[in-house]
Amino acid sequence: MNFFAKMRGAGTSPPRVGAAEIVWSFLGAAGGIGAVAWLHQRVADPAGLTMLLGSFGASAVLLYGAPKSPLAQPRNLIGGHVVSALVGVSVGLAVPGPQWLVCALAVALAIALMHATGTLHPPGGATALIAVSGGPKIAALGYLYVLFPVLSGALVMLAVALVAVNAAPTRRYPEYWL
């Protein structure tokens, strides 16, 4: 197949979702991000830590907007974030620079390890990138970054997804655990 011919696409766009799906996605995302942000404000920030990560916004899209997606399942959510955080911190500590190389290696290795472990979760790429580019506050956490904010935040979002998605009569989460 011609290289440029592949870029034309081969299918059609999926149909739009109905109003109920939009409302349930909205409520789940508001609950999940709201819970993480509330914990950030009440617990993490006063302790000099953080709970808010940009990658959690992307996880919210998957968990609450596409809960049937294999990329949104608990194994992928938790495993993808944790594997990526471990990779990001490790690369940040082991590779002295330049910054562009550290960033590229952190994300590329995170993707490779998520594939290898069956935990592919696209927001994990951002979790690895944040570990190496998130500034001095994130860098100072070292491997604590894996537990707090990454694991703790992902677990909060999972708990909210279990309640919020299953509250809808036509939705279900998870499709599988492992």
Side-chain angles (χ1 to χ4, degrees), residues 59 62-64 66-77 120-122 158 173-174 176:
S59 290
L62 289 167
L63 286 173
Y64 313 116
K68 289 185 177 193
S69 168
L71 304 173
Q73 300 311 304
R75 172 189 176 94
N76 299 72
L77 169 72
L120 190 66
H121 185 66
L158 173 60
Y173 182 80
Y176 51 86

Side-chain angles (χ1 to χ4, degrees), residues 35-97:
V36 172
W38 185 86
L39 287 168
H40 169 79
Q41 184 178 11
R42 298 290 184 167
V43 178
D45 198 40
L49 299 169
T50 188
M51 266 305 269
L52 290 173
L53 295 177
S55 53
F56 289 158
S59 290
V61 173
L62 289 167
L63 286 173
Y64 313 116
K68 289 185 177 193
S69 168
L71 304 173
Q73 300 311 304
R75 172 189 176 94
N76 299 72
L77 169 72
I78 303 301
H81 276 299
V82 168
V83 163
S84 297
L86 284 166
V87 167
V89 173
S90 297
V91 169
L93 293 172
V95 180

Side-chain angles (χ1 to χ4, degrees), residues 26-173:
F26 171 85
L27 292 173
I33 296 299
V36 172
W38 185 86
L39 287 168
H40 169 79
Q41 184 178 11
R42 298 290 184 167
V43 178
D45 198 40
L49 299 169
T50 188
M51 266 305 269
L52 290 173
L53 295 177
S55 53
F56 289 158
S59 290
V61 173
L62 289 167
L63 286 173
Y64 313 116
K68 289 185 177 193
S69 168
L71 304 173
Q73 300 311 304
R75 172 189 176 94
N76 299 72
L77 169 72
I78 303 301
H81 276 299
V82 168
V83 163
S84 297
L86 284 166
V87 167
V89 173
S90 297
V91 169
L93 293 172
V95 180
Q99 184 68 15
W100 68 265
L101 179 60
V102 173
C103 291
L105 283 174
V107 174
L109 285 170
I111 292 169
L113 282 176
M114 285 189 288
H115 269 307
T117 59
T119 59
L120 190 66
H121 185 66
T127 297
L129 185 59
I130 292 165
V132 296
S133 68
K137 189 173 181 179
I138 295 292
L141 292 173
Y143 284 104
L144 180 59
Y145 173 75
V146 177
L147 299 175
F148 200 87
V150 173
L151 177 60
S152 58
L155 287 171
V156 169
M157 292 188 62
L158 173 60
V160 172
L162 291 169
V163 173
V165 175
N166 290 310
T170 59
R171 298 175 107 201
R172 137 192 199 145
Y173 182 80

